[in-house]
């Protein structure tokens, strides 16, 4: 029942500090299982997906100690299981990285089928194809547990990915980093979090070359030691504040970012008419003239990220003219458009394409966050709308955005968190 209440129409102004990257953190935490001594991970975002994952590691037997809000010390040595039975594992997508990490650690893994945001079928055939190439067999039981195992050591192999998959690239890296021989992943994902994981593993003693290109070479090593590592800034959190700045006609500097990771977002915002100024570790977004319509097509990195698609579509909903947004990664990532329509947006969806007729203004309304990024889009819609917007289902947003209410309020937004008693409890009480 918790909600965000937003009184729209305020320009965002000032500076906001971006947290560590969710999608890097959820790959790096399972990678800790591969170490033979403790790891200290810094710049962890304080979000529920990370909390869930550290809880799962603890339930598996790891010693987990938060040194402060963003730093955790994890000792994986006490773990004596190759299974993950925590119900929580079903609630996050990234629990599937425990398969690769456990295979790397002990050549077998029993993990629940992953959950996560629902925007169409989310197959894991490329992960399984990779594990098979490394000498593993797999089976799925009636309770939805996937079991993957190898007889003896995993053996390096050449793996060509049929689709560019972040998850499969990361899972295969985790499984092969201690395999026998050389693994070559071709048509690999190039996202910044793939590179961040490779950097972390290399710091632990791995031998990984080519992360960030479409060919990654992994020479298996026998041992990995614990490491101290600081996670990269979150590309999508930064992009969300950049879009919010442009949408409100504001002037915002996003700090603690890697501007190179934001290039596709900066380029699209510049095309729409925002001014972008890059610093060494910051990007300023402001607006001098009117915004212009444009065409957006989501692509694997370094293309425009699918995880920014709902936010940019929301911005385009108020920009004069007809914009087109093509979603080329996920089959069903426009469900949130119905919520935007409740606020006055004129958007038609035809399969994986949205045609957006700019309406100048949105009107506040009660809306739901349908998933993490769709939820961020509802918050942006609330910021630009006339009147009051209440965003429900905020637990989705809190999976991936640290302190979003405080950060936006710090930029001048009129937003607050409202806790409402559960209706049934209220009746009882
Ligand atoms: N795919 C397959 N087979 C597979 C794996 C993927 O066909 O075995 C397809 C998918 O159906 C999709 C495409 O390949 O069409 C890309 O999927 P990918 O595997 O790259 O996605 P993912 O690893 O499940 C990660 C992020 C998502 C982000 C996508 C794309 C994490 C934990 N999740 O998902 O992030 O949308 O990459 O960039 O890293 C988010 O943060 O809001 C989020 C959903």
């Amino acid at each position: 029942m918790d909600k965000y209440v937003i009184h729209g129409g305020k320009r965002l102004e000032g500076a906001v500090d971006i947290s560590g990257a969710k999608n890097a953190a959820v790959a790096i935490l399972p990678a800790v299982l591969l170490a033979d001594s403790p790891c200290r991970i810094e710049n962890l975002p304080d979000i529920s997906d990370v909390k869930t994952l550290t809880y799962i590691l603890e339930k598996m037997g790891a010693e987990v100690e938060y040194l402060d809000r963003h730093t955790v010390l994890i000792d994986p040595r006490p773990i004596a299981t190759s299974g993950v039975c925590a119900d929580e594992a079903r609630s996050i997508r990234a629990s599937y990285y425990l398969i690769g990490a456990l295979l790397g650690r002990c050549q077998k893994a029993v993990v629940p089928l992953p959950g996560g945001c629902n925007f169409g079928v989310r197959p894991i055939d490329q992960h399984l194809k990779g594990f098979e190439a490394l000498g593993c067999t797999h089976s799925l039981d009636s309770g939805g547990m996937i079991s993957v195992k190898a007889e003896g050591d995993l053996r390096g192999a050449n793996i060509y990915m049929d689709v560019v998959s972040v998850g499969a690239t990361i899972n295969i890296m985790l499984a092969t980093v201690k395999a026998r021989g050389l693994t070559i992943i071709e048509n690999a994902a190039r996202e910044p979090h793939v590179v961040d994981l490779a950097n972390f593993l290399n710091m632990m003693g791995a031998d990984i070359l080519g992360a960030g290109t479409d060919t990654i070479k992994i020479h298996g090593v026998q041992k990995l030691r614990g490491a101290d590592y600081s996670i990269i800034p979150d590309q999508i959190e930064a992009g969300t504040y950049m879009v919010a700045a442009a949408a409100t006609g504001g002037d915002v500097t996003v700090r603690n970012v890697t501007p190179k990771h934001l290039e596709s977002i900066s380029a699209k915002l510049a095309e729409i008419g925002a001014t972008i100024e890059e610093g060494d570790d910051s990007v300023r977004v402001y607006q001098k003239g009117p915004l212009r319509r444009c065409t957006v097509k989501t692509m694997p990195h370094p293309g425009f990220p699918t995880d920014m698609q709902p936010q940019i579509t929301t911005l385009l909903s108020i920009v004069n003219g007809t914009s087109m947004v093509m979603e080329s990664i996920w089959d069903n990532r426009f469900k949130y458009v119905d919520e935007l329509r409740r606020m006055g947006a004129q958007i038609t969806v035809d399969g994986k394409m949205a045609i957006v007729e700019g309406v100048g203004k949105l009107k506040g309304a009660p809306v739901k966050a349908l998933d993490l990024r769709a939820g961020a889009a509802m918050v942006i819609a609330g910021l630009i709308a006339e009147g009051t917007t209440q965003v429900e289902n905020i637990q989705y947003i809190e999976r991936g955005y640290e302190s979003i209410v405080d950060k936006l309020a710090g930029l001048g937004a009129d937003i607050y968190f409202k806790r409402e008693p559960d209706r049934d409890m209220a009746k009882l009480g």
Side-chain angles (χ1 to χ4, degrees):
M1 292 302 287
D2 297 343
K3 316 175 161 161
Y4 297 153
V5 180
I6 307 168
H7 299 295
K10 296 268 191 305
R11 283 180 80 224
L12 297 188
E13 275 183 288
V16 60
D17 290 317
I18 298 306
S19 302
K22 167 179 95 77
N23 289 344
V26 298
I28 284 172
L29 288 170
V32 168
L33 293 185
L34 296 161
D36 65 5
S37 54
C39 293
R40 183 187 152 106
I41 312 296
E42 295 170 17
N43 203 32
L44 266 183
D46 184 6
I47 53 175
S48 63
D49 269 18
V50 161
K51 291 274 163 52
T52 303
L53 208 38
T54 50
Y55 176 73
I56 292 168
L57 294 180
E58 214 169 1
K59 261 191 135 172
M60 289 170 73
E63 278 172 19
V64 177
E65 184 190 355
Y66 268 90
L67 303 178
D68 60 43
R69 190 178 172 203
H70 298 116
T71 309
V72 70
L73 188 66
I74 305 176
D75 187 348
R77 286 173 297 188
I79 295 176
T81 177
S82 59
V84 179
C85 54
D87 284 344
E88 288 72 17
R90 290 189 204 278
S91 71
I92 57 167
R93 187 77 192 154
S95 54
Y96 60 23
Y97 293 146
L98 293 164
I99 306 177
L102 282 165
L103 285 176
R105 180 183 163 100
C106 55
Q107 298 80 47
K108 58 180 180 195
V110 184
V111 173
L113 265 181
C117 292
N118 175 14
F119 24 71
V121 181
R122 297 186 71 174
I124 59 164
D125 57 299
Q126 297 302 306
H127 306 233
L128 298 176
K129 170 181 156 170
F131 298 146
E132 272 173 31
L134 302 168
C136 300
T137 55
H138 57 84
S139 58
L140 181 65
D141 77 12
S142 53
M145 300 293 283
I146 306 173
S147 169
V148 188
K149 60 177 190 254
E151 296 303 330
D153 290 341
L154 277 76
R155 295 180 307 275
N158 274 25
I159 302 168
Y160 182 88
M161 316 277 283
D162 301 324
V163 292
V164 179
S165 162
V166 173
T169 303
I170 286 178
N171 234 340
I172 294 166
M173 278 166 65
L174 291 167
T176 56
V177 72
K178 289 170 79 180
R180 233 187 305 142
L182 172 67
T183 298
I184 302 181
I185 310 175
E186 294 192 74
N187 201 24
R190 293 177 279 170
E191 268 65 7
H193 31 292
V194 173
V195 180
D196 208 35
L197 173 67
N199 289 341
F200 175 57
L201 291 169
N202 282 341
M203 198 172 261
M204 293 163 81
D207 184 354
I208 302 174
L209 287 171
T213 74
D214 59 8
T215 305
I216 302 179
K217 294 187 179 165
I218 305 156
H219 289 271
V221 295
Q222 284 196 334
K223 274 168 76 86
L224 293 176
R225 55 184 177 273
D228 286 3
Y229 194 76
S230 181
I231 288 172
I232 53 166
D234 197 301
Q235 175 202 28
I236 306 301
E237 188 198 15
T240 301
Y241 286 98
M242 290 166 70
V243 169
T248 60
D251 183 348
V252 171
T253 302
V254 291
R255 297 190 298 214
N256 179 33
V257 297
T258 306
K260 177 95 190 135
H261 296 166
L262 300 173
E263 274 174 353
S264 61
I265 301 164
S266 298
K268 205 38 83 178
L269 286 175
E271 196 182 321
I272 296 173
T275 305
I276 310 289
E277 283 174 11
E278 278 186 13
D280 289 340
D281 63 356
S282 65
V283 174
R284 178 179 170 206
V285 180
Y286 61 100
Q287 194 190 323
K288 284 186 192 146
L291 296 178
R292 297 181 287 271
R293 58 149 305 277
C294 80
T295 296
V296 178
K297 183 172 184 185
T298 64
M299 298 288 281
H301 191 78
F304 189 86
T306 173
D307 294 341
M308 285 300 303
Q309 181 263 97
Q311 301 89 314
I312 200 116
T313 304
T314 302
L315 163 61
L316 291 172
S317 75
I318 56 160
V319 173
N320 263 342
T322 307
S323 297
M324 312 268 265
V325 181
M326 278 165 272
E327 171 57 54
S328 56
I329 309 293
W330 298 111
D331 288 339
N332 195 3
R333 207 173 191 172
F334 283 121
K335 281 186 289 187
Y336 67 89
V337 160
D338 286 341
E339 300 296 302
L340 282 184
R341 284 203 200 103
R342 291 152 59 82
M343 300 178 72
Q346 285 186 19
I347 305 176
T348 318
V349 176
D350 182 6
K352 290 166 86 172
M353 156 119 61
I355 300 155
V356 186
E357 303 288 351
V359 289
K361 282 220 174 304
L362 297 181
K363 288 193 254 347
V367 288
K368 287 191 170 60
L370 297 182
D371 63 54
L372 168 58
R373 308 303 173 186
M378 291 308 120
V379 171
I380 294 174
L383 294 173
I384 54 186
E386 277 175 350
T388 303
T389 297
Q390 302 209 4
V391 183
E392 291 179 14
N393 287 0
I394 58 171
Q395 72 279 5
Y396 286 117
I397 303 174
E398 296 186 347
R399 287 185 46 200
Y401 288 90
E402 177 177 322
S403 307
I404 189 168
V405 168
D406 291 346
K407 289 187 184 187
L408 285 170
L411 293 171
D414 186 345
I415 178 170
Y416 63 93
F417 172 89
K418 186 172 177 192
R419 167 152 291 151
E420 288 205 343
D422 189 292
R423 273 192 207 108
D424 296 338
M425 292 299 286
K427 258 188 255 154
L428 285 174

